[in-house]
C-alpha cells in the first residue's frame, strides 16, 4: 500500500513522524495551569484529549474509563473494548469525518499541542518484572564473566529468566536519574561505600498487562497476547559495580532499583500488527506450555544515543531490533503465570537488554565497551566506557511502514551526580 492510498487524518503528519494516524498510542498528560491528569492519544504534533471526548459522550455510552488520569481501567477492559475505542478515535480523526474536523470549539478543547503538555506515567504500576531474553546479550555477559564455553547458564535455553524489579522507581521519559551509591568491592580488600563508578544503560522494551488472571490460574501461551495492552521503550539503568557485588545468591537489587525510564506513550499491538514477524528458531524445543506460533514478535528498530555535556545532539552508539529477542512476550507472560502468579492491569513486564549479533547492536555499555576495555567514541574527542555525570541517554524505537511510521517517541534521562 502506498502513502497516497493510506487512510489519512485531517491533522497532517509527516511520513517519518513517530505518531502517525496508523499509530494512535495512549498516554497520560497534564496541561500546565489546569488541575488533574488527563488521558490522551498522540497524533502528529498534537494530543487528542480522551477525557474531554468522554465527558461529551463522544467515545461510548458505557462505563467511563478515562476520568481518573490513569489507563488501568481501560487496560482492564480487554481487546474488544480496545478495538471499539480505537476505531472510534480513528473515525473522529479521519479526514473524511466532519465531526471533529469542522467543530472549532471541540478542536480547541480536545486538541493540545504536544510540546505544551507534560507527560506522566501512563498507569499505576503495581508490579514490575524484568526478563533476560536476548540470547546475544546473555552470551556476551556470560563470556565476559565465565568464558565462552560457559556463556549461557544451563537453564537459559529452557525458560525465560527474570526477576522482580522495583515499580516505585519507574520514571517517565525526561526525568533525571541520580547516580546511585552502594557497596563496591575492589578486587582485593573489603567492600567500601560510595557512588557507583560503572553506571550503564540497558536498551529494553516492555509491555503493559491488560486484563489480569486470577491467582492460581495460569495464562496459556496461545492466550497471552489477549493480556497485553501495548508496548513501551525501557531503559533499565544499571549500576554494574554495585550489581556485581550484591547479586550472588539472590540476584539484582540495589544495582537496579534506583531508576527505570520508560517512554510515556503506549503503542497498542493493533498498531504493530503489520510488522509482525517470526521469532528465532528455538533449540531445544521449549516445554509444551511455552510452545506457540513463531510469528510472535515485531520488526521494531531500536536506537540509543548518548549526549555528553556540551554536545548539541546525541551520538548514536547502538542500533538493534526487537526481533533479536529469543523469548517472546507471549512466552514471558505464560512463564510468569505458569505457577499461578496473578498479573494485574498496569503491571509492567520488560524484555531485558536487546542485543544483536553485531557489536554495533549491543544494547549496553557493558557490551559496547566490552567491560570497559574498548572505549566507545561519541565524536568530538569524547569517549565513554560507562556513563558520566551530565550524560543524557536517549532511546528511540519505531516500526517503518510504507508511507508511515509507528514510533514510540523517546525514553530519555540525564545523569545527576550522587548525593
Amino acid at each position: 500500500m502506498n502513502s497516497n492510498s493510506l487512510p489519512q487524518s485531517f491533522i497532517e503528519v509527516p511520513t517519518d513522524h513517530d505518531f502517525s494516524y496508523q499509530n494512535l498510542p495512549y498516554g497520560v498528560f497534564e496541561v500546565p495551569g489546569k488541575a488533574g491528569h488527563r488521558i490522551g492519544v498522540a497524533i502528529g504534533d498534537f494530543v487528542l484529549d480522551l477525557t474531554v471526548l468522554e465527558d461529551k459522550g463522544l467515545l461510548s455510552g458505557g462505563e467511563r474509563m478515562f476520568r481518573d488520569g490513569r489507563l488501568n481501567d481501560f487496560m482492564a477492559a480487554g481487546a474488544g473494548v480496545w478495538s471499539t475505542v480505537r476505531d472510534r478515535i480513528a473515525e473522529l480523526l479521519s479526514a473524511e469525518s466532519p465531526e471533529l474536523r469542522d467543530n472549532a470549539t471541540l478542536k480547541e478543547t480536545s486538541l493540545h499541542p504536544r510540546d505544551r503538555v507534560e507527560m506522566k506515567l501512563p498507569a499505576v504500576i503495581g508490579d514490575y518484572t524484568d526478563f533476560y531474553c536476548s540470547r546475544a546479550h546473555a552470551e556476551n555477559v556470560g563470556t565476559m564473566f565465565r568464558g565462552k564455553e560457559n556463556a549461557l547458564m544451563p537453564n537459559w535455553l529452557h525458560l525465560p529468566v527474570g526477576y522482580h524489579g522495583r515499580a516505585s522507581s519507574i520514571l517517565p521519559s525526561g526525568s533525571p536519574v541520580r547516580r546511585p551509591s552502594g557497596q563496591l568491592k575492589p578486587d582485593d580488600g573489603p567492600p567500601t561505600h560510595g557512588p557507583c563508578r560503572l553506571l550503564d544503560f540497558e536498551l529494553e522494551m516492555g509491555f503493559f498487562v491488560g486484563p489480569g488472571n486470577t491467582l492460581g490460574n495460569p495464562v496459556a501461551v496461545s492466550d497471552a497476547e489477549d493480556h497485553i495492552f501495548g508496548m513501551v521503550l525501557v531503559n533499565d539503568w544499571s549500576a554494574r559495580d554495585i550489581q556485581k557485588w550484591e547479586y550472588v545468591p539472590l540476584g539484582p537489587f540495589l544495582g537496579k532499583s534506583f531508576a527505570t525510564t520508560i517512554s510515556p506513550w503506549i503503542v497498542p499491538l493493533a498498531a504493530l500488527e503489520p510488522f509482525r514477524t517470526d521469532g528465532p528458531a528455538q533449540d531445544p524445543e521449549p516445554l509444551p506450555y511455552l510452545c506457540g506460533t513463531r510469528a510472535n514478535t515485531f520488526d521494531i528498530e531500536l536506537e540509543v544515543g548518548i549526549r555528553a555535556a556540551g554536545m548539541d545532539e546525541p551520538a548514536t552508539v547502538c542500533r538493534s531490533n526487537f526481533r533479536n529477542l529469543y523469548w517472546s512476550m507471549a512466552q514471558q507472560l505464560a512463564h510468569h503465570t505458569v505457577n499461578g502468579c496473578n498479573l494485574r492491569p498496569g503491571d509492567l513486564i520488560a524484555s531485558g537488554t536487546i542485543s544483536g549479533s553485531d557489536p554495533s547492536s549491543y544494547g549496553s555499555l557493558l557490551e559496547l565497551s566490552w567491560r570497559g576495555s574498548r572505549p566507545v567514541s561519541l565524536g568530538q574527542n569524547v569517549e565513554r566506557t560507562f556513563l558520566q555525570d551530565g550524560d543524557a541517554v536517549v532511546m528511540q524505537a519505531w516500526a517503518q511502514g510504507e508511507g508511515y511510521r509507528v514510533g514510540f517517541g523517546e525514553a530519555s534521562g540525564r545523569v545527576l551526580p550522587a548525593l
Side-chain angles (χ1 to χ4, degrees):
M1 178 182 290
N2 62 50
S3 58
N4 292 329
S5 61
L6 286 171
Q8 300 293 328
S9 170
F10 67 85
I11 296 175
E12 292 189 15
V13 183
T15 58
D16 61 350
H17 198 294
D18 272 0
F19 303 130
S20 62
Y21 183 52
Q22 287 70 33
N23 188 350
L24 304 181
Y26 296 96
V28 171
F29 67 98
E30 187 174 74
V31 179
K34 295 184 179 180
H37 294 176
R38 316 180 75 77
I39 295 173
V41 158
I43 174 71
D45 293 329
F46 292 88
V47 178
L48 180 65
D49 194 327
L50 302 187
T51 304
V52 166
L53 297 182
E54 186 177 62
D55 285 344
K56 294 184 177 298
L58 295 175
L59 290 182
S60 69
E63 182 180 353
R64 297 185 62 185
M65 296 174 289
F66 301 124
R67 62 176 180 237
D68 64 354
R70 60 179 191 171
L71 278 162
N72 297 66
D73 289 345
F74 186 46
M75 292 172 170
V81 172
W82 304 339
S83 179
T84 298
V85 171
R86 179 176 170 82
D87 288 347
R88 176 60 174 149
I89 293 169
E91 180 183 21
L92 287 167
L93 289 169
S94 170
E96 306 300 319
S97 172
E99 191 171 2
L100 178 58
R101 183 194 67 198
D102 297 344
N103 188 328
T105 301
L106 185 57
K107 284 196 294 186
E108 178 70 23
T109 57
S110 66
L111 283 170
H112 307 278
R114 203 160 38 82
D115 60 2
R116 297 184 192 172
V117 305
E118 182 179 347
M119 299 306 298
K120 303 295 183 179
L121 285 177
V124 175
I125 304 171
D127 279 296
Y128 165 49
T129 299
D130 193 23
F131 279 95
Y132 189 54
C133 290
S134 164
R135 180 169 184 168
H137 174 67
E139 288 179 337
N140 287 338
V141 174
T143 297
M144 286 179 212
F145 293 98
R146 293 185 298 275
K148 196 166 185 64
E149 304 236 337
N150 298 305
L152 288 181
M153 298 295 281
N155 64 347
W156 201 93
L157 292 173
H158 296 274
L159 57 85
V161 174
Y163 72 95
H164 190 231
R166 184 70 186 174
S168 64
S169 53
I170 297 173
L171 305 168
S173 178
S175 304
V177 172
R178 180 75 62 182
R179 181 179 295 272
S181 294
Q183 286 200 21
L184 314 173
K185 178 67 170 67
D187 291 337
D188 52 359
T192 61
H193 177 266
C196 157
R197 297 175 187 145
L198 307 181
L199 184 61
D200 202 354
F201 66 80
E202 293 197 19
L203 170 61
E204 306 191 16
M205 295 203 75
F207 64 87
F208 276 94
V209 174
N213 60 301
T214 305
L215 182 64
N217 290 276
V219 176
V221 69
S222 58
D223 298 329
E225 287 194 4
D226 292 337
H227 294 262
I228 297 176
F229 175 71
M231 296 177 63
V232 292
L233 257 172
V234 177
N235 181 358
D236 189 39
W237 303 82
S238 295
R240 299 297 186 186
D241 39 5
I242 297 173
Q243 181 184 5
K244 178 183 176 183
W245 173 232
E246 73 176 2
Y247 85 102
V248 177
L250 292 182
F253 185 41
L254 300 183
K256 294 280 194 177
S257 62
F258 61 96
T260 301
T261 298
I262 66 170
S263 55
W265 293 106
I266 306 177
V267 176
L269 293 194
L272 294 167
E273 194 59 38
F275 309 98
R276 185 178 290 275
T277 189
D278 287 352
Q282 295 183 322
D283 184 20
E285 183 177 342
L287 292 174
Y289 80 93
L290 288 171
C291 284
T293 173
R294 278 191 63 192
N296 57 15
T297 190
F298 301 94
D299 181 7
I300 303 171
E301 300 288 346
L302 307 172
E303 187 172 282
V304 183
I306 298 175
R307 185 177 65 248
M311 292 176 59
D312 294 331
E313 298 291 335
T316 300
V317 297
C318 165
R319 290 187 175 93
S320 188
N321 194 290
F322 182 68
R323 63 186 176 193
N324 284 325
L325 290 178
Y326 185 86
W327 296 103
S328 71
M329 293 188 294
Q331 289 173 315
Q332 292 166 40
L333 194 146
H335 183 67
H336 202 314
T337 65
V338 72
N339 67 340
C341 173
N342 56 319
L343 301 178
R344 295 172 293 186
D347 286 354
L348 178 65
I349 297 179
S351 63
T353 305
I354 305 173
S355 297
S357 58
D358 187 272
S360 66
S361 67
Y362 293 170
S364 66
L365 279 172
L366 178 68
E367 297 164 90
L368 289 165
S369 73
W370 206 254
R371 209 177 171 186
S373 65
R374 306 170 189 165
V376 177
S377 174
L378 305 185
Q380 305 177 32
N381 296 317
V382 177
E383 294 181 331
R384 288 291 183 269
T385 51
F386 291 93
L387 296 170
Q388 296 186 11
D389 293 346
D391 287 349
V393 177
V394 182
M395 296 182 175
Q396 296 177 292
W398 66 92
Q400 187 63 54
E402 187 175 348
Y404 72 99
R405 174 175 288 189
V406 173
F408 290 76
E410 290 185 355
S412 65
R414 187 170 66 89
V415 179
L416 301 181
L419 292 176

